[in-house]
Amino acid sequence: PVTITKDGRTMYFSRNNFNQDIEIKDKKGLTNMKIYRATLVDGEWTNIEDLPINGDNFSTQHAALNIDDTKLYFSSDRPGTHGGSDIWVVNIRPDGLLVDLQNLGDVVNTESAEGFPFINNEGVLFFSSDGHTGLGLLDIFATIKGEDDDSIVDVINLGVPVNSNKDDFSFTMNPNGITGYFASNRQGGRGSDDIYAFHREPVLHV
């Protein structure tokens, strides 16, 4: 996944851990993922930064920005993770410095894997998990915010037809809040992982 700031000038993306074309491996001989930041200069992406939230011995990936580009959400199996991978968040200062790294806690994270965060225009966090109760493998969930609008008090499964008994992930929603996309390896696709589009129909209350 790639996420770009609203002004179109800063990009966060995931990449394998390479340093000057040299593959960096951890103690187990594995190459982990890192999130990098690039800036747009004269029509080209440049000034690629290895962010301080990264490490050689764990993966950091699936970057997602909140509405005003002040928070960066991501998935990681870094120390302090509840299970396979957790959703984390870090604040972005106006000068670009990343501060106040936080794990989203056990309402969102389980002993299994959570990843692919996305925040819509209403500030709702969506993510995929194979640890919460679902239809099978990775399912897509939405969070329910508390009264203070910062805390997360519960998560809900998006259900059919978004979720299936296979892996469903990489949920995104367009600014209109009605249309969007996600990926799935469910039966009936053209390959292993396919991209699907959705259209929300309003519920009419009589």
Side-chain angles (χ1 to χ4, degrees), residues 75-90:
S75 173
S76 178
D77 60 354
R78 66 199 308 114
T81 294
H82 290 72
S85 60
D86 281 4
I87 306 295
W88 296 73
V89 63
V90 65

Side-chain angles (χ1 to χ4, degrees), residues 55-155:
D56 292 338
N57 294 310
F58 55 84
S59 282
T60 308
Q61 57 187 343
H62 304 164
L65 290 165
N66 68 338
I67 303 170
D68 58 5
D69 299 329
T70 59
K71 294 180 181 292
L72 179 69
Y73 292 79
F74 59 92
S75 173
S76 178
D77 60 354
R78 66 199 308 114
T81 294
H82 290 72
S85 60
D86 281 4
I87 306 295
W88 296 73
V89 63
V90 65
N91 292 332
I92 307 173
R93 294 201 328 196
D95 61 2
L97 188 66
L98 304 180
V99 296
D100 302 326
L101 175 67
Q102 293 183 0
N103 184 293
L104 289 193
D106 57 10
V107 174
V108 171
N109 296 312
T110 69
E111 294 181 355
S112 296
E114 280 72 44
F116 302 97
F118 170 78
I119 299 86
N120 71 0
N121 276 10
E122 297 177 347
V124 176
L125 168 67
F126 296 82
F127 65 98
S128 288
S129 171
D130 60 4
H132 291 282
T133 302
L135 304 181
L137 302 180
L138 284 174
D139 270 14
I140 299 168
F141 294 82
T143 55
I144 298 176
K145 295 184 289 186
E147 293 182 359
D148 60 5
D149 214 37
D150 286 330
S151 62
I152 297 174
V153 298
D154 204 356
V155 301

